[in-house]
Amino acid sequence: MGCQIWLIVSFLWLFQFFDHTVSSTVEEYGTVFVYGRAAVGTIDEDFICATLDWWPPEKCDYGTCSWDHASILNLDLNNTILQNAIKAFAPLRIRIGGTLQDLVIYETPDQKQPCLPFTKNSSILFGYTQGCLSMCRWDELNAFFRKTGAKVIFGLNALSGRVVNPSSEAIGAWDYTNAESFIRFTVQNNYTIDGWELGNELCGGGIGARVAANQYAIDTVNLRNIVNLVYQNVSPMPLVIGPGGFFDAAWFTEYLIKTENSLNATTHHIYDLGPGVDEHLIEKILNPSYLDQEAITFRSLKNIIKTSSTKAVSWVGESGGAYNSGRNLVSNAFVYSFWYLDQLGMASLYDTKTYCRQSLIGGNYGLLNTTNFTPNPDYYSALIWRRLMGRKALFTSFSGTKKIRSYTHCAKQSKGITVLLMNLDNTTTVAVKVELNNTFILRHTKHMKSRKNVISQLTWVSNGEIQREEYHLTAKDGNLHSQVMLLNGNALQVNSTGDIPPLEPIYVNSTEPITIAPYSIVFVHMPSVVVPACA
């Protein structure tokens, strides 16, 4: 295949992409341009991350109590669906943290305080008394993490030793005595922790309390020293992560300068959709201009990292979209995948290495249903991303309706590419062709006779034509509030033994256009299209 500029990969005509989809009249055409010479961002292999929180059943928002037994302290670790849901990611990165982490004490052997649960008290900081993680529960959790293959990020109590004054300033240095004891206990018991994160939402203006950047940097350096000391003869060495809060450019700049090389990853939180009770939540999710706004934060943090001497990389440490536990039948329904996948795509472009969704389970924004553990639509969106989207993000633009969102990565399963397309319009079907602005290789049998390992990645029809794989995601009955997601027209549901369903594509001739139905999402794996960035 010769070299040319803007090589057309697929030709445009109408087609019906599978029998299960209700036929719609194609009203618009569009073109996805993929710039494949070099990656614009690179993500970690275990980019997909989800959180486990501390909230007790008494946690309520707007009169709704949505946490049930989803806390670190009371979650049913023996639930088969929960175990299978985590195992399916092989591995899933799990961040343990949240508001109450800065009130947690650890029941290590030298801890003299009684190990008591969180108790609701609206007159004090965060509305709860201090709570405790028993080492018995920590043993159970680590057995669970080992069994499911999870990679654990643990958020430490950063308010220990400080006094929070009436203006919400946390005064004093971090007292790391209990945290160090906990880290030592963890190592002595051969528990593997992928990273230790310091504090939750105490940076910038803070949520409930705030710590100055200079002091936070000193505390982070102390955490690094503890980790280096305790793990000096232990492998692997965990990451040191912070500050785990909302982005503030001036605060983050000072923090990253003063932590120097003590920090491996700098984490920020995203709740860009506002409160869960917002009546305009769905309007925001389906508004391309609104979705674009978060790019400002990603771009700003990337620039700060680039211009400072830090070796830290950028993570989203917690992102639930709508704060105060989200909103039932929105943040746990099909419509949320438009926001969530857009976030994953956008974060990748700005070199974000890990993206932690709030939550794995709990609240109204869990990937899993809080009471019966069955996967919500966003779980399947995350799992398909994990299986199809490789580490390298390619710059992608779309020419046509503004209601199409487009992202491209080098493929996970081949040396080709995977394109993610989302149609935010409720009536218009869009037929899309893909164009590249550089040389690419179209793999075919006559070129690949001696490279069987590559040939095996392709799927062929009887006449030798190359096919691509498509994964069309839609809501059951076309209802955006549905908690059942359809893959190529078939409902995704666990079976009677709690197994996660297979995620099977349909195969389409590569010369045909990609048809995107109204309010639908499609992942398109093109193993035969190999651009320089992915070769």
Side-chain angles (χ1 to χ4, degrees), residues 2-208:
C3 302
Q4 58 181 302
I5 303 299
W6 299 114
L7 184 65
I8 299 179
V9 177
S10 53
F11 304 98
L12 186 60
W13 60 79
L14 307 181
F15 78 110
Q16 189 172 359
F17 55 85
F18 51 82
D19 293 339
H20 297 289
T21 299
V22 176
S23 178
S24 300
T25 302
V26 175
E27 299 180 10
E28 292 206 24
Y29 305 89
T31 303
V32 175
F33 297 101
V34 178
Y35 301 76
R37 291 193 181 96
V40 291
T42 306
I43 62 176
D44 281 351
E45 184 71 20
D46 41 14
F47 173 71
I48 298 292
C49 167
T51 66
L52 288 174
D53 213 308
W54 296 94
W55 290 119
E58 295 78 20
K59 160 70 170 171
C60 304
D61 301 279
Y62 319 117
T64 300
C65 307
S66 59
W67 284 87
D68 199 6
H69 286 68
S71 167
I72 288 296
L73 300 177
N74 58 32
L75 181 63
D76 178 9
L77 304 178
N78 295 314
N79 184 278
T80 301
I81 299 175
L82 174 64
Q83 292 181 5
N84 289 342
I86 296 172
K87 289 177 182 178
F89 281 85
L92 178 64
R93 194 171 247 167
I94 294 179
R95 180 245 185 185
I96 297 175
T99 300
L100 298 187
Q101 82 178 54
D102 290 313
L103 298 179
V104 177
I105 59 172
Y106 318 110
E107 189 201 28
T108 54
D110 56 353
Q111 174 57 240
K112 305 305 181 184
Q113 293 180 253
C115 195
L116 301 174
F118 292 108
T119 303
K120 197 167 186 177
N121 185 337
S122 59
S123 64
I124 59 177
L125 181 65
F126 304 136
Y128 287 86
T129 62
Q130 192 174 65
C132 175
L133 172 62
S134 72
M135 293 304 92
C136 176
R137 181 60 173 177
W138 187 229
D139 293 339
E140 293 172 351
L141 284 162
N142 279 279
F144 171 76
F145 297 144
R146 184 179 292 114
K147 183 175 183 178
T148 58
K151 296 182 70 172
V152 179
I153 307 299
F154 191 94
L156 295 165
N157 177 352
L159 286 182
S160 181
R162 309 188 206 266
V163 176
V164 180
N165 67 21
S167 62
S168 298
E169 294 175 298
I171 307 301
W174 177 46
D175 180 354
Y176 50 76
T177 307
N178 188 219
E180 181 177 0
S181 178
F182 177 56
I183 293 172
R184 288 187 182 278
F185 179 92
T186 299
V187 171
Q188 288 164 4
N189 284 274
N190 297 314
Y191 298 151
T192 300
I193 299 297
D194 197 43
W196 296 100
E197 184 179 29
L198 184 61
N200 183 82
E201 297 178 356
L202 303 174
C203 57
I207 302 296

Side-chain angles (χ1 to χ4, degrees), residues 10 66 90 195 268 331 393 415 439:
S10 53
S66 59
H268 66 107
S331 53
K415 293 192 175 183
T439 305

Side-chain angles (χ1 to χ4, degrees), residues 395-413:
F395 182 77
T396 305
S397 64
F398 185 81
S399 175
T401 170
K402 301 297 183 183
K403 288 286 191 173
I404 294 290
R405 308 290 284 181
S406 58
Y407 298 97
T408 305
H409 280 228
C410 293
K412 184 78 170 284
Q413 301 173 350

